[in-house]
Amino acid sequence: MFVDFPNGPIMKAKVYVNLKSGVLDPQGKAIQHSVELLGFTGISDVRQGKYFEIALDPAVDNQQARESVEKMAREVLSNPIIEDYRVEIEA
Amino acid sequence: MKFGVIVFPGSNCDHDAYHVISKHVGQPVDFIWHRETDLSTYDAVIIPGGFSYGDYLRAGALARFSPVMNSVKKFAESGRFVLGICNGFQILCEAGLLPGALIRNRDLHFICDHIYVRVETPDSPFTNEISAGSVLRIPIAHAEGNYVCDDQTLDELKRGDRIVFRYCDPNGAITEAANPNGSRDNIAGICNRERNVLGLMPHPERACEDLLGSSDGRDIFRSLAATLAAAV
């Protein structure tokens, strides 16, 4: 699945991107409608987001990796006008 | 005056735009591959519709990083004219050349249909040959044309007379029923503060011949040509 790095075990970054709370999510609404039609109850809202797994070279130090992924999430993976993001680094 | 049509991998309305400029505007026009960076010989560039980079990540999100886009930014800053149609509008928003964003249509469907837009202002290089309130019949073809922006941006757009086109009914009334995709305030097209960059979701280049169902789109290209003729 992931690129093999010669320097040891894979370090992984997880990036979660979600629509900001004020932004309408037509896909989330359609999913909610469908699951309710299927009989699932007790749902008050569904919001669809995106999830990225990014394999990192373990030779890069943790702080540097975090900064790099933060920048990537801010400038590419999310559109700050409509989306929020959250980054997790997993050693 | 010379036009350029930018071509990304996945652009598919580039030939339509080229056809309109060469046949109806009657001016020289080149295709510009997205890896080019020299726009110095052009007076106006068109960012055409299509699915640049397969719409991966978000529509327009990856095209923004193509080498030509840095040049388009400088081109726009120098006061020359940029017209983004459909995916071109999405790219201009992603690139920060226009405010706001285009998200999934309210009803999720890809919509391919002739719709009506009202020209909200003749005060733009792209509408100066059209009177305010004119209704144009132009096709749309998109799944992500739902224009969103925050309250402050909407206020700035209104106060700056920068909402150029709004979805309307055949009589020019701005109604929710005439809003095909859920766009805020029925916005179909906006320009930047300097007014030389326009983005719109409808496809005027597909509405330049009666044979295609409408020739209303010609007014937009006629306006741009008149602007350039006066400037060159």
Side-chain angles (χ1 to χ4, degrees):
Chain A
M1 288 286 284
F2 295 108
V3 182
D4 274 329
F5 290 104
N7 299 316
I10 298 297
M11 187 158 68
K12 202 196 284 175
K14 297 178 172 182
V15 181
Y16 301 84
V17 176
N18 284 92
L19 282 172
K20 285 181 192 290
S21 56
V23 177
L24 185 77
D25 179 7
Q27 295 180 98
K29 279 271 168 280
I31 294 163
Q32 179 178 354
H33 182 65
S34 292
V35 293
E36 283 172 345
L37 279 181
L38 286 169
F40 292 95
T41 56
I43 299 161
S44 68
D45 195 20
V46 176
R47 307 280 289 171
Q48 180 180 321
K50 294 183 185 128
Y51 167 64
F52 303 85
E53 281 188 347
I54 301 166
L56 303 166
D57 185 339
V60 178
D61 85 26
N62 196 294
Q63 187 55 32
Q64 202 183 332
R66 175 171 289 281
E67 283 169 14
S68 165
V69 173
E70 281 274 349
K71 191 170 190 302
M72 202 189 306
R74 190 171 60 244
E75 295 178 3
V76 185
L77 302 181
S78 72
N79 177 342
I81 295 167
I82 47 170
E83 293 166 327
D84 292 321
Y85 65 86
R86 189 176 88 245
V87 174
E88 288 172 9
I89 305 279
E90 211 173 66
Chain B
M1 70 185 81
K2 193 172 177 192
F3 290 78
V5 175
I6 295 177
V7 183
F8 296 96
S11 295
N12 66 9
C13 302
D14 42 348
H15 283 266
D16 308 58
Y18 186 101
H19 170 78
V20 165
I21 298 303
S22 55
K23 182 169 177 195
H24 297 296
V25 181
Q27 294 296 331
V29 53
D30 290 337
F31 288 119
I32 304 167
W33 183 234
H34 71 117
R35 295 204 170 280
E36 301 285 331
T37 51
D38 182 8
L39 300 178
S40 59
T41 60
Y42 301 102
D43 301 296
V45 298
I46 297 173
I47 308 183
F51 298 85
S52 57
Y53 293 89
D55 273 356
Y56 295 165
L57 190 63
R58 296 177 303 278
L62 300 181
R64 164 195 164 199
F65 297 102
S66 274
V68 76
M69 285 309 294
N70 264 330
S71 305
V72 168
K73 265 189 187 171
K74 289 185 194 129
F75 188 82
E77 281 163 11
S78 76
R80 285 173 288 172
F81 303 99
V82 179
L83 171 62
I85 300 168
C86 195
N87 189 224
F89 184 16
Q90 295 163 339
I91 294 168
L92 290 173
C93 286
E94 282 283 342
L97 284 164
L98 290 173
L102 293 144
I103 65 165
R104 183 58 77 98
N105 293 342
R106 174 191 51 211
D107 300 322
L108 296 170
H109 304 293
F110 186 99
I111 309 170
C112 187
D113 207 357
H114 276 79
I115 50 84
Y116 297 91
V117 291
R118 193 172 78 186
V119 177
E120 297 296 288
T121 175
D123 179 20
S124 89
F126 310 89
T127 53
N128 53 21
E129 294 279 304
I130 316 173
S131 29
S134 298
V135 175
L136 308 181
R137 183 166 175 270
I138 300 183
I140 54 169
H142 62 246
E144 280 94 12
N146 183 350
Y147 182 79
V148 295
C149 65
D150 60 22
D151 295 347
Q152 192 195 332
T153 304
L154 183 65
D155 193 48
E156 279 172 24
L157 289 173
K158 283 181 177 170
R159 278 187 293 119
D161 194 25
R162 290 166 54 193
I163 301 172
V164 182
F165 301 105
R166 292 171 79 200
Y167 299 108
C168 65
D169 72 11
N171 302 313
I174 307 293
T175 64
E176 189 51 34
N179 185 345
N181 52 28
S183 288
R184 185 153 194 195
D185 241 44
N186 285 45
I187 287 173
I190 55 170
C191 67
N192 63 343
R193 210 171 280 124
E194 295 74 22
R195 313 193 81 74
N196 62 319
V197 177
L198 172 79
L200 77 168
M201 286 314 294
H203 284 274
E205 83 287 11
R206 294 190 194 175
C208 289
E209 283 158 41
D210 292 334
L211 185 65
L212 299 177
S214 169
S215 55
D216 290 356
R218 286 167 82 160
D219 292 345
I220 294 169
F221 295 100
R222 200 159 49 81
S223 296
L224 180 56
T227 304
L228 288 169
V232 173

